[in-house]
Amino acid sequence: MEEKKRRIYYAAFRSKDRRFDGQFFVGISSTGIYCRPICRARLPKEENCRYFKTAAEAEQAGFRPCLLCRPELAPEKSFTETGEEIAIQTARLLEEHCGSGVSITVLAKQLACTDRHLRRVFAAAYHVTPVAYLQTCRLLLAKSLLTDTDLSMLEVAMAAGFGSLRRFNELFKKQYHLAPTALRKELKKKREKNEVLTVGIGYHPPYEWKKMLDFLSLRAIPGVEVVQNDCYMRTMSQVDRQGIYRSGWIKVKNNPVKSVLLVMLSDNLITVIPQILGRIKCLFDVYCDPEIIYTALLSMNTIKSGLCVKGTRVPGCINSFELAVRAVLGQQITIKAAKTLAGRFAETFGTPIETTIQGLSYVFPTAEKIVGLGTTGESKIASLGIISTRARTIKALAQLFYQEDNYCQVYADPEKEIKKLLAIPGIGVWTAGYIAMRAMGCTDIFLETDYGIKKAMEPMTTKEMLQQAEKWRPWRSYAVMNLWDFLSEKGH
């Protein structure tokens, strides 16, 4: 690395500025440890510092994670930080599926490219191979579980995807020069015992947490989701590596001081922790870089003061099929009415579940369950008070999701998926765009036909709105959320 870049990185490290957290990692040759740029440990000498793009790269160079700043809690990289979306999507899939034994070939197929091309672009973007990155994902997840939970060593090994306790112990000792049991013993005195399984997810601050919860609360499906006491809670299910559905509950709250979301999970979700955390990251948009987006959307405040707020997120979703059904139910009726219908749908076709959280009673039905209703499915859906045309649309949606396992995911090709949605009778441009924005994580959706958007941008015409929105590419989805939040605060 050239001397000028080294000086810039060291200045950023010395500043402890949270804007740099997750952007790079610092390896310290005198200790063999690598840190986040916000680490509060004693500042090392400049000549002892090496800089890495990812934690995986630092570990491949022989450095061990710092126990003080905990690199596993560093916020994820956003799409703006490299030009290779395939590499970033691969990294997120590796994190989400590190416990499921998924192969690079399967991931390449999901991303519609060859595994050779995937390996090439990944190595160029992250400076390590996908296999090395996957190993780091597993090790850091295991370290997080050892630090924050009381899971047994075997449970930690299985949850992190090592396949066996022996393999876990060998890799952990080799990479970190410390036995997993020794690490837990060292840390146990420093933490309080958690009554439930709790794992942290880092994010880039600031985070408009209240606005996120307000949005989710307004649309929460009765029996499936609950928002109260500054927390989001819900039921969910996930298929494990044996093809078995694991159902349970999650609870998410914010720790703004540490810029971490604290995720509590029921014990029966232990074997699918990586997948659960992956879905939660999507729901709460932890990949977002507020500084970059705020700079791009700052011109919104010239239309009306306070229209754009730094830290606004685009809510994603836990379950793409659930989100799509909810979007269809919400067509041309109030949010409250759609919420009631979604609750009936979940109660009628969902799976009952016992939880310790009042108000959580059902797991939302799968597409397979709705397809399994057969020829009577449409009439059964309509019997809930859902008009027949929408019942037909929901049945068609279920068929599409059932036929394509990975349909409408965050790594999908938005243009292709939107075309499939628009081909279903009853799904128009607004519904398809809304699903793409939340289920597929599309950052550049603008819903110019939406009543709220028109209201927030009045007295502009549709043509003027579209012209103005061109300035906000590729972050128009964030512009939409800012406009909706603005209206909500004004009481509309």
Side-chain angles (χ1 to χ4, degrees):
M1 181 181 290
E2 62 183 80
E3 187 61 29
K4 184 178 179 180
K5 284 187 177 180
R6 287 180 60 86
R7 288 200 300 270
I8 292 172
Y9 275 116
Y10 190 72
F13 184 29
R14 185 172 52 198
S15 74
K16 308 302 178 189
D17 192 325
R18 283 196 172 273
R19 290 178 297 175
F20 302 116
D21 194 16
Q23 309 289 346
F24 66 93
F25 295 87
V26 186
I28 303 162
S29 58
S30 56
T31 62
I33 288 171
Y34 73 95
C35 300
R36 296 158 67 179
I38 62 165
C39 187
R40 293 294 174 180
R42 183 179 177 182
L43 187 71
K45 294 179 180 179
E46 186 172 358
E47 59 266 27
N48 290 337
C49 296
R50 290 178 60 186
Y51 305 98
F52 304 97
K53 201 166 188 179
T54 65
E57 186 183 4
E59 294 199 2
Q60 283 294 293
F63 291 92
R64 308 183 306 279
C66 175
L67 298 181
L68 179 62
C69 67
R70 299 185 61 188
E72 69 270 20
L73 294 181
E76 308 286 348
K77 290 182 178 295
S78 69
F79 275 111
T80 58
E81 289 160 17
T82 82
E84 292 289 353
E85 288 193 3
I86 288 178
I88 297 173
Q89 290 169 331
T90 301
R92 295 182 185 179
L93 282 170
L94 288 171
E95 291 166 17
E96 184 173 339
H97 296 285
C98 69
S100 62
V102 68
S103 70
I104 302 301
T105 302
V106 170
L107 295 187
K109 186 177 180 181
Q110 289 181 6
L111 296 173
C113 67
T114 64
D115 58 348
R116 183 179 179 183
H117 178 64
L118 185 150
R119 294 173 196 275
R120 183 170 62 249
V121 298
F122 192 91
Y126 287 93
H127 304 165
V128 294
T129 66
V131 171
Y133 191 90
L134 177 61
Q135 177 178 294
T136 298
C137 289
R138 287 173 173 162
L139 286 168
L140 288 179
L141 175 59
K143 180 180 175 297
S144 182
L145 295 176
L146 287 169
T147 304
D148 294 331
T149 78
D150 293 303
L151 294 178
S152 70
M153 291 297 158
L154 180 59
E155 287 174 323
V156 169
M158 296 299 104
F162 286 97
S164 72
L165 183 57
R166 180 180 177 182
R167 178 65 175 159
F168 168 52
N169 283 324
E170 287 176 350
L171 277 175
F172 201 92
K173 288 178 183 177
K174 178 182 177 182
Q175 195 66 39
Y176 296 159
H177 309 298
L178 187 68
T181 50
L183 174 67
R184 172 163 280 177
K185 187 176 181 179
E186 183 176 336
L187 294 171
K188 203 166 187 179
K189 298 176 183 177
K190 302 177 183 179
R191 68 176 175 88
E192 295 181 3
K193 181 180 176 67
N194 289 318
E195 293 182 359
V196 294
L197 177 61
T198 305
V199 184
I201 298 176
Y203 62 80
H204 295 281
Y207 196 120
E208 286 290 322
W209 179 248
K210 183 180 183 304
K211 291 181 179 179
M212 172 64 82
L213 289 191
D214 287 346
F215 183 92
L216 295 176
S217 178
L218 195 61
R219 295 158 180 80
I221 301 173
V224 176
E225 301 171 284
V226 171
V227 178
Q228 62 184 23
N229 300 327
D230 207 32
C231 296
Y232 173 81
M233 295 161 279
R234 68 163 292 140
T235 61
M236 64 184 299
S237 65
Q238 181 67 47
V239 181
D240 66 15
R241 62 193 304 168
Q242 279 80 41
I244 301 170
Y245 272 96
R246 302 294 180 183
S247 299
W249 56 265
I250 62 166
K251 179 179 180 180
V252 185
K253 65 179 181 179
N254 184 30
N255 183 336
V257 176
K258 294 184 177 181
S259 299
V260 169
L261 298 182
L262 297 175
V263 181
M264 285 143 276
L265 310 92
S266 57
D267 291 343
N268 38 348
L269 294 177
I270 288 174
T271 58
V272 288
I273 286 176
Q275 297 98 309
I276 298 294
L277 295 180
R279 299 314 308 156
I280 293 171
K281 288 176 183 179
C282 292
L283 173 61
F284 290 103
D285 194 18
V286 299
Y287 302 109
C288 163
D289 189 324
E291 298 289 343
I292 291 172
I293 293 167
Y294 183 68
T295 300
L297 300 182
L298 196 54
S299 64
M300 293 181 72
N301 290 335
T302 62
I303 301 174
K304 292 178 183 177
S305 178
L307 207 54
C308 179
V309 177
K310 188 188 294 186
T312 298
R313 258 59 175 190
V314 175
C317 72
I318 290 288
N319 181 318
S320 296
F321 176 62
E322 175 188 303
L323 187 279
V325 170
R326 179 67 181 73
V328 170
L329 291 175
Q331 292 173 341
Q332 298 178 337
I333 61 174
T334 66
I335 294 175
K336 185 177 180 180
K339 182 173 177 174
T340 299
L341 290 177
R344 289 179 194 165
F345 188 88
E347 182 179 1
T348 304
F349 304 115
T351 304
I353 183 174
E354 291 186 8
T355 73
T356 57
I357 300 173
Q358 187 175 1
L360 297 186
S361 310
Y362 308 98
V363 176
F364 198 83
T366 63
E368 181 181 7
K369 177 73 175 289
I370 303 305
V371 169
L373 297 175
T375 56
T376 62
E378 189 178 318
S379 61
K380 287 180 178 178
I381 295 171
S383 69
L384 303 177
I386 299 168
I387 62 174
S388 58
T389 53
R390 290 197 189 113
R392 198 173 304 125
T393 300
I394 290 171
K395 187 179 177 184
L397 266 176
Q399 190 65 46
L400 179 58
F401 274 85
Y402 178 63
Q403 289 174 343
E404 301 187 27
D405 287 340
N406 299 304
Y407 179 66
C408 230
Q409 301 297 324
V410 292
Y411 46 80
D413 182 330
E415 290 186 10
K416 289 182 179 179
E417 308 297 76
I418 287 173
K419 284 181 180 178
K420 293 175 186 176
L421 285 170
L422 291 173
I424 296 176
I427 293 185
V429 175
W430 186 95
T431 304
Y434 181 77
I435 293 171
M437 183 173 79
R438 293 196 57 195
M440 290 183 264
C442 294
T443 64
D444 201 31
I445 299 293
F446 190 70
L447 306 173
E448 70 276 4
T449 62
D450 182 82
Y451 170 79
I453 301 302
K454 291 179 179 179
K455 185 74 175 174
M457 296 186 72
E458 63 184 9
M460 289 186 181
T461 64
T462 300
K463 182 179 180 181
E464 289 171 336
M465 286 165 51
L466 288 170
Q467 288 175 342
Q468 184 68 40
E470 283 298 308
K471 301 175 184 178
W472 304 330
R473 288 185 182 273
W475 308 112
R476 293 185 300 170
S477 297
Y478 290 89
V480 166
M481 287 308 306
N482 273 287
L483 291 165
W484 282 345
D485 287 344
F486 180 82
L487 271 189
S488 178
E489 287 192 348
K490 296 298 180 182
H492 293 287

